[in-house]
Amino acid sequence: MEINIDYVSVCAVDLTGTDRVRVTEHTDHRGVPPAEVLAHAARLTNRVIGSTREQHLRVVGVELALPGLVSGGVVRQAPNLGWSRVAAEGIFGQALGTLRPAGRALPVGSDNEANLAALAEYWFGGLGGLRTFLYLTGEIGVGGALVVNGQMLRGAHGFAGEIGHVVVDPQGPLCRCGAHGCLEQYAGRGALLTAAGIDPDLGVRGIAELEQRAAAGEARAVEALATAGDRLGVVLAGAVNLFDPEAVVLGGIYRTLMPWLERSADAQLTARVVSGRWHAGGSRLRASSRSGDAARGAAARVMYEVMENPAAYAVR
């Protein structure tokens, strides 16, 4: 189950990793109390569980994909949601339990949504055997995850990957995190739509309009995307120099906007990656597959736990 700024998406996968049920609802969570958002997500999850029963499936666990800094079941900070120190696993688990009083309590886990989207891309996407890559997901914010030899690089406290808050210009616009000039102020969804002259509150519909305008060659839309790609390229070059991934994968809103972001991002990477192994027009900067989404990665996390210890889940 993924909670983001303006939607909740719940999916159930079977042991082959195939989506069996998926429900997405679009609703604005900004300024809404966390308990209310998590209760709504629990109701949606309970609906999905009911649909799995109709297919004679048994749900064995739930994983939450959450934006921001997530550790130990707690959202330590999610600036775009306005959450701080929210015990998301516990609140969600309690809300789901009240909806299933006769049912067995389901184990609940959680992780950062970019981490889970990267794992979905690794498990199900078209990476062609790559095991070390940097994954970016663009929504209102910009999330990142680094997979090294098939394992997530988490850092000392589990907070690695917050690439959206790498500073591009210390004198730049104020970010919700409190710093100035963060990458998401240039390449986040709101910044992109504003630069293109589109109402940023349109959300997903605004991105669809931006894509249509860019495809039609509208100068302001094309320029907004080129500028965002340039800023992405500057930050990505630093990350590539630091971690030396085999590829950089752009997901979320960047997947469909890739044709207009790629050229300027690739130019910065080619100019700034010191190894000399980055070449414009190569295959190291790529769009994510349709399989690389956080809700699917979250469900697959549960599925892989079953695969690792099937006896623990067998019906006796």
Side-chain angles (χ1 to χ4, degrees):
M1 185 274 290
E2 178 188 5
I3 292 177
N4 220 302
I5 312 303
D6 52 6
Y7 66 86
V8 178
S9 186
V10 184
C11 77
V13 302
D14 62 21
L15 289 179
T16 70
T18 301
D19 277 15
R20 297 294 289 270
V21 184
R22 181 181 286 266
V23 177
T24 300
E25 287 191 0
H26 293 274
T27 177
D28 192 346
H29 296 139
R30 285 167 289 194
V32 180
E36 187 175 327
V37 175
L38 289 160
H40 172 68
R43 291 192 294 271
L44 202 60
T45 301
N46 196 49
R47 274 176 49 194
V48 169
I49 292 171
S51 297
T52 63
R53 288 200 198 99
E54 295 171 3
Q55 300 183 48
H56 308 291
L57 300 173
R58 180 167 64 98
V59 174
V60 297
V62 182
E63 181 88 3
L64 313 182
L66 303 163
L69 305 179
V70 182
S71 176
V74 177
V75 179
R76 306 291 173 177
Q77 185 181 12
N80 290 315
L81 276 175
W83 291 13
S84 178
R85 297 183 178 88
V86 175
E89 280 184 22
I91 296 170
F92 174 86
Q94 184 175 16
L96 185 62
T98 62
L99 298 170
R100 310 177 68 246
R104 184 179 178 182
L106 292 171
V108 177
S110 62
D111 202 348
N112 172 269
E113 51 90 20
N115 289 347
L116 291 167
L119 288 175
E121 186 68 24
Y122 177 64
W123 287 330
F124 306 116
L127 290 177
L130 294 184
R131 292 175 52 81
T132 300
F133 63 96
L134 176 63
Y135 184 92
L136 261 70
T137 178
E139 296 293 344
I140 287 181
V142 181
L146 184 66
V147 176
V148 180
N149 292 325
Q151 300 294 319
M152 186 67 61
L153 181 68
R154 296 187 174 277
H157 306 97
F159 301 151
E162 289 295 319
I163 198 167
H165 296 291
V166 172
V167 174
V168 178
D169 178 4
Q171 307 304 317
L174 178 66
C175 181
R176 286 187 177 90
C177 74
H180 285 265
C182 292
L183 175 62
E184 71 178 44
Q185 297 304 307
Y186 300 91
R189 190 177 72 192
L192 266 172
L193 294 179
T194 299
I198 300 172
D199 183 355
D201 292 332
L202 287 177
V204 174
R205 289 180 294 132
I207 291 298
E209 184 175 339
L210 174 59
E211 186 179 350
Q212 291 172 1
R213 291 187 185 187
E218 183 183 300
R220 188 169 179 182
V222 172
E223 179 62 27
L225 287 163
T227 300
D230 182 82
R231 300 297 86 190
L232 277 168
V234 169
V235 171
L236 287 172
V240 169
N241 284 334
L242 189 60
F243 296 111
D244 188 30
E246 295 174 271
V248 174
V249 182
L250 301 184
I253 62 172
Y254 300 143
R255 183 176 63 80
T256 57
L257 298 175
M258 187 71 168
W260 302 281
L261 294 168
E262 183 175 15
R263 184 174 180 179
S264 54
D266 223 3
Q268 288 287 2
L269 283 156
T270 301
R272 295 175 181 272
V273 173
V274 296
S275 68
R277 296 178 61 84
W278 197 284
H279 305 287
S283 61
R284 293 183 69 183
L285 180 65
R286 59 182 70 178
S288 70
S289 69
R290 292 183 179 274
S291 299
D293 72 274
R296 193 157 192 257
R301 168 75 62 76
V302 178
M303 183 264 288
Y304 268 83
E305 290 177 3
V306 178
M307 300 289 280
E308 288 178 353
N309 187 16
Y313 295 89
V315 176
R316 299 187 184 277

